[in-house]
Amino acid sequence: PFLIEEYYVSVSRAQSDNNLHVVLDAFAKMPNKKLVLVSNFKKSSYGVELYEKYKDFENMYLINGVYEKTEINAIRFNARAYIHSHSRCGTPPSLCEAMYLGRPIISYDAEVNHEVTEEHALFFQDADELMNVVNNLTEDTLSKLSEYSTDISHNKYTWEYIAKEYSKVFDA
């Protein structure tokens, strides 16, 4: 049902350093904004607790893992923006995949996320900052961020580019 509505999406494993609690807390305070959160809620006590706490919010769709690529891409692609909440990781595949689909990025303020998006995202550190970002988005900002996501990902996060970069390391 949410695919025809305006919504924000986040895809993440249910672990505390992925800050699902921050995203859910922000959207709990914005009942007029819809969130689709795809996670493996049942795999950890953290996930179970969050699911139980937020499952009845009408503006939130808490979806247990989606592993079919076409389905998860449709969920990402139709979103107004992608919210990347990870605070510790290497190059995050879920962020790169959302960028490749041209989604505007709203990201947790972590060094790796600044690097991956090349500073072309809107950043937050807590629920209040995330609320501020979401409530002040303009179509112009979304459009520009979408263009940046596409350009960066189609040039930097392709198998061809990555293979070339690896070959430089091994040829050195």
Side-chain angles (χ1 to χ4, degrees), residues 86-97:
H86 304 187
S87 59
R88 294 184 311 191
C89 54
T91 302
S94 61
L95 175 57
C96 294
E97 290 166 355

Side-chain angles (χ1 to χ4, degrees), residues 5-17:
E5 303 175 38
E6 183 176 282
Y7 65 92
Y8 296 82
V9 67
S10 187
V11 178
S12 182
R13 286 186 309 275
Q15 56 193 54
S16 61
D17 62 312

Side-chain angles (χ1 to χ4, degrees), residues 16-27:
S16 61
D17 62 312
N18 286 343
N19 299 296
L20 302 182
H21 58 285
V22 173
V23 176
L24 291 165
D25 185 40
F27 278 84

Side-chain angles (χ1 to χ4, degrees), residues 32-102:
N32 59 331
K33 307 288 185 188
K34 301 230 184 271
L35 172 69
V36 174
L37 178 56
V38 180
S39 186
N40 58 345
F41 293 102
K42 297 176 183 178
K43 294 288 184 182
S44 68
S45 59
Y46 173 76
V48 170
E49 287 171 24
L50 289 176
Y51 187 85
E52 288 303 315
K53 181 176 180 179
Y54 293 100
K55 70 181 180 184
D56 294 325
F57 280 76
E58 291 184 14
N59 65 319
M60 295 186 213
Y61 297 90
L62 306 181
I63 300 173
N64 282 303
V66 175
Y67 304 102
E68 164 54 44
K69 188 173 183 171
T70 304
E71 187 177 347
I72 194 67
N73 282 345
I75 293 169
R76 284 186 185 120
F77 184 76
N78 287 298
R80 181 169 169 84
Y82 182 79
I83 300 173
H84 185 70
S85 60
H86 304 187
S87 59
R88 294 184 311 191
C89 54
T91 302
S94 61
L95 175 57
C96 294
E97 290 166 355
M99 290 173 65
Y100 200 82
L101 293 170

